[in-house]
Amino acid sequence: MSFEGSCHCGAVQFKVDAPPPTTAISCNCSHCRRRGALLSFFPASQFEVTQGSEALRSYKFNTHKIDHQFCQACGIEAFARGAKPDGSPICAVNLRCVPAIDLDALDVQTYDGAKA
Ligand SMILES: [Zn+2]
């Protein structure tokens, strides 16, 4: 099973080889609170940019451990790349960029990224 998503203008398309999540993380860090993302995390091996990787730009802040990748045309950040504490690469997907997901049906858990 897989699901697909995109930035707003459609230049950047991605696919995740996993069932569409039923839960999401809402983080209150200085970045997430501004963009309002609903996040779900996947091993990088299950994540693929299928179109528009040349349109992606990178934004890093604080410890610079997370590579926030956004579309240069529309500015939407559909995903970010990072690593788990053991070093294995992961992707944080913004479920708001996945049209097939019913956002109101997600079980949203809060993460206190402002204090982490
Ligand atoms: Zn775009």
Side-chain angles (χ1 to χ4, degrees):
M1 227 183 155
S2 67
F3 64 91
E4 296 176 355
S6 68
C7 66
H8 186 253
C9 73
V12 177
Q13 308 269 345
F14 66 88
K15 181 181 162 193
V16 182
D17 286 320
T22 55
T23 62
I25 303 271
S26 174
C27 173
N28 65 353
C29 82
S30 58
H31 189 253
C32 286
R33 65 180 292 147
R34 283 170 171 78
R35 67 194 183 102
L38 289 172
L39 300 173
S40 187
F41 297 82
F42 302 91
S45 59
Q46 291 174 237
F47 179 87
E48 183 188 2
V49 176
T50 54
Q51 182 186 303
S53 55
E54 73 285 348
L56 289 168
R57 293 296 175 267
S58 176
Y59 177 65
K60 295 178 180 178
F61 68 100
N62 195 11
T63 61
H64 286 227
K65 284 181 181 161
I66 302 173
D67 185 2
H68 297 273
Q69 302 201 321
F70 62 94
C71 172
Q72 66 171 351
C74 68
I76 294 300
E77 178 184 325
F79 62 92
R81 295 182 185 275
K84 291 205 284 191
D86 69 4
S88 54
I90 55 168
C91 282
V93 174
N94 182 1
L95 297 182
R96 291 189 182 276
C97 295
V98 179
I101 289 180
D102 179 357
L103 298 174
D104 293 331
L106 287 169
D107 178 12
V108 177
Q109 293 146 13
T110 57
Y111 177 73
D112 195 358
K115 283 191 181 153

